[in-house]
Structures are given as structure tokens and as C-alpha cells.
Amino acid sequence: MEETRHTPAHDHHHHSGCGHGSPEHRHERVESGAARLRHRLAHRLTPHRHETGEKVDAAMETSQEGMRTLWISLAVLGVTTVVQGMIVALSGSVALLGDTVHNAADALTAVPLGIAFLLGRRAANRRYTYGYGRAEDLAGIVIVATIAASAAVAAWVAVDRLLNPRDLTHLWVVAAAAVTGFIGNEWVAHYRIRTGRKIGSAALVADGLHARTDGFTSLAVLLGAGGAALGWRTADPVVGLLITIAILFVLKDAAREIYRRLMDSVDPALVQSAHDALRAVNGVRDTGQVRMRWIGHALRAEADIVVDPHLTVVQAHGLAVAAEHALIHAIPRLTAATVHTDHTSTGSDPYVVLAHHGERPRPVSRGVVSGG
């Protein structure tokens, strides 16, 4: 049962014409001449990079882009928070105070994310064999905790103001601060979400969604100022409570996003795309189980393919490499794959020796060797 893993040697195979272990593709031994010609033309016309050093550079580039997004958004939210804080001191608006606290918390989430991006640049070692990409998920937990803390502060201040009401002053300045908060947060949200989706960072996307809701809570402050202008004394703390509820909805969405990443959730459409790509490889008769997981903002995969039982070891290995190659081209942000070859039934079960260790996932193809 032949397997191929994405190692530095395989990275070298994908470089410069994508030769796998020799100037010719190993998997060309199981492809027709027409298929080889199509592959070469597609390979030369499609820009791509597979060499180990280039993959490290790509990881560095995504981390640097994430860091740049964090610092710029930190600066924008920092200015917004300072301006709003000055107006809170001047007006005493509890709704604006809740919004200011939330904006400050959102700005400070750049710190754990920045640390995570820096850690993610470190190379894998014998203890952390997959590298340090999971640091982003830990940063996501910190972000969720920060959102929860900001909700608690906003609620406490709003309840206190309901019990101890006071008049607002400088209502037009409060309204201007609310609009400023909306503009700053919406810009930061768009920037973070766009970059997060581009580099595959769930934590950065969650942080962008957090900022987007902050923008709408800033607009809610306008309602408090408007109600106060009409003589409704409790409008400001009531809006503060509404902001707290909005923060809780953000907390739910962000927690769900981070939970899914921690539980190795992926888009089912990616798994289907992987099956389709593998079945399109010349020589692959069917596919078995395909699994994927995010490591930071890169995907890794494990896949079973079904092949002719009479292939030589060299041919089976070449076909596994071709399957890995197809996956890397078909799945965005996939940087590594392990491909296991099973064969159609020959009457014997090579997995019988593993029976007492528990059931092994089996390929779904008819006629595949039992237990394969």
C-alpha cells in the first residue's frame, strides 16, 4: 500500500517543470502520451509554486500581510477610540462609553493576533511537527474572551445608569462621535475580512466581523442621543443595553467560527472538489476517504485512492504523487497532502493484521480490497 507525503523532496519534485524524482514525471509512466502533453501545456501556462523555499516565502507573505492589516486597523481604531473617549468625558453618554469600550477592546485584539502571526512564521520541529499555525486559533479564543468582557462592561455601565440616571450634554458632539465610530469600524471591518479571507485566517475574519458590528452599535448611539434630545432620559442607557445584546450576537458568531476551526471543520465543498480532482487523475479508479484540516491559514489533506492491483511499487508511487499534485492545484491554500493507495480486490485482505487494532476507514469503491 503505497503512500506519498508532502516532504521537501516532493517540494523539489514540483519545481521547474514539476519533475517528480527525475527529469520526467514519475506518474507519466501510467499516463498516456496525450495526457502528458496536456499536463505539460497546462503546467507551463498556469503560474504556480511548489518548492519548499517558495512555500515558506508564501507563508511569510501571508503573515506579513496579516500583520500589516493589524497595525493599520489598530491605528484607525486607536484614533477613533481616543476621540470617542474624550467626548464621553465631556458628555457623560453611557451608550457612547459602551461603544468606546467595545472599540478599544476590538483594537487590542490586534495584539494576540500579531503574536500568533509571528509564531506562525516559525518552522516545524520534532515537538511541533505541524508548525505553529495553531497559534491563530489560540488568538481566536482570546478574541472571543475579549468580546465577552466588553459585553459585560457595557451591560454593567448601562444598568448602573438606569439605576442612577443623569442628563446628557453636548448631544450634537455625541452624534458626531457615533458617526465617526461607524466610519472607522466599517473601514477596519472591510479591511480585516478581506485580508482574512485572502490569507485563510479565521481569527482575522472573526475580528473583522467583530469590527463590523461595532460600527452598527456606533450608529445605535445616535438613537440614544436622539432620544435624549426629545426628553427621554433613559434613552441613553437603554441603547447601551441594546449595544450589549448586539455584542452578544457577535460573540456567538465569533465563538462558532473559532470552535469550528479548533474542531478541524472545513467547507464540505472543498472535500467534494478534492474527490473530483483525484478521480480526474489518469489511473485513479476511485477515491476513499478524504480528510482536511486547517493549520493556521494553510490546509493539509489526507486522501485514499483506488488503483489497479497489478501496478508496480514505482508506478503506484508515481500515481500517488500525481494525485497529490492534482490536489495542490485544485484546492486553494492546500500546501501538503498525504495520499494512500488502495487497490481493487484480489481475493486477499492485507489489512487483516490490523483488525485487532480497531476498524480502519475503508474506501467507498465497489470491489476495493476489504478493509482498504
Side-chain angles (χ1 to χ4, degrees):
M1 298 298 111
E2 185 67 31
E3 296 188 26
T4 176
R5 288 176 172 80
H6 199 76
T7 62
H10 286 126
D11 286 332
H12 176 70
H13 296 160
H14 290 305
H15 178 56
S16 184
C18 206
H20 298 300
S22 70
E24 297 290 333
H25 290 295
R26 286 189 180 181
H27 60 271
E28 287 176 1
R29 301 177 185 182
V30 292
E31 291 182 335
S32 67
R36 289 200 301 269
L37 179 59
R38 288 195 304 269
H39 179 81
R40 287 178 176 176
L41 287 174
H43 214 283
R44 294 184 181 278
L45 294 174
T46 305
H48 58 283
R49 301 182 303 181
H50 298 306
E51 191 178 15
T52 304
E54 291 175 329
K55 289 193 174 194
V56 172
D57 289 343
M60 291 284 286
E61 288 170 5
T62 56
S63 293
Q64 288 171 355
E65 187 167 2
M67 289 291 291
R68 182 168 58 251
T69 299
L70 289 176
W71 287 120
I72 293 175
S73 60
L74 175 61
V76 172
L77 288 179
V79 171
T80 301
T81 301
V82 170
V83 171
Q84 288 186 321
M86 294 173 60
I87 297 174
V88 167
L90 184 66
S91 65
S93 170
V94 68
L96 186 58
L97 175 60
D99 190 42
T100 303
V101 170
H102 200 187
N103 286 337
D106 193 20
L108 291 176
T109 55
V111 176
L113 267 179
I115 295 173
F117 285 143
L118 289 175
L119 280 175
R121 297 179 182 181
R122 298 180 64 179
N125 53 48
R126 290 192 175 185
R127 181 176 294 275
Y128 298 98
T129 55
Y130 284 95
Y132 292 81
R134 289 286 192 183
E136 284 189 36
D137 300 330
L138 296 179
I141 295 175
V142 175
I143 290 171
V144 169
T146 302
I147 298 173
S150 65
V153 171
W156 181 81
V157 174
V159 171
D160 178 71
R161 187 56 55 85
L162 278 173
L163 297 176
N164 303 286
R166 56 175 287 190
D167 293 328
L168 290 182
T169 60
H170 304 85
L171 294 179
W172 289 108
V173 180
V174 171
V179 174
T180 300
F182 171 75
I183 294 174
N185 276 289
E186 179 57 26
W187 187 90
V188 167
H190 178 75
Y191 191 27
R192 285 180 176 177
I193 293 171
R194 182 184 63 186
T195 302
R197 288 175 177 168
K198 180 179 179 182
I199 69 176
S201 173
L204 191 54
V205 171
D207 213 20
L209 293 173
H210 181 198
R212 172 152 290 165
T213 304
D214 284 353
F216 288 110
T217 57
S218 293
L219 287 183
V221 175
L222 283 174
L223 296 177
L230 295 174
W232 184 21
R233 200 177 185 191
T234 59
D236 187 60
V238 167
V239 170
L241 289 175
L242 293 176
I243 289 175
T244 300
I245 294 173
I247 296 173
L248 291 177
F249 277 106
V250 176
L251 176 62
K252 176 182 70 75
D253 292 340
R256 181 178 57 191
E257 187 75 19
I258 297 303
Y259 166 80
R260 287 177 175 175
R261 184 59 65 93
L262 288 170
M263 292 297 292
D264 289 332
S265 172
V266 296
D267 185 351
L270 291 178
V271 179
Q272 184 59 50
S273 295
H275 279 288
D276 294 341
L278 290 171
R279 289 168 181 160
V281 175
N282 187 25
V284 174
R285 295 188 172 184
D286 207 340
T287 57
Q289 189 175 55
V290 173
R291 294 184 291 183
M292 296 183 189
R293 63 168 52 177
W294 285 96
I295 305 293
H297 35 257
L299 275 171
R300 297 183 67 94
E302 300 173 12
D304 296 334
I305 59 173
V306 182
V307 302
D308 188 322
H310 302 295
L311 294 179
T312 66
V313 171
V314 173
Q315 289 173 326
H317 177 262
L319 191 53
V321 173
E324 177 190 7
H325 186 199
L327 282 178
I328 291 173
H329 277 286
I331 307 301
R333 307 215 61 78
L334 180 68
T335 59
T338 299
V339 178
H340 174 84
T341 58
D342 277 293
H343 57 77
T344 52
S345 179
T346 58
S348 62
D349 184 0
Y351 294 107
V352 67
V353 296
L354 299 177
H356 65 287
H357 292 292
E359 184 177 3
R360 184 181 184 276
R362 302 182 178 187
V364 297
S365 176
R366 294 181 179 177
V368 175
V369 62
S370 175

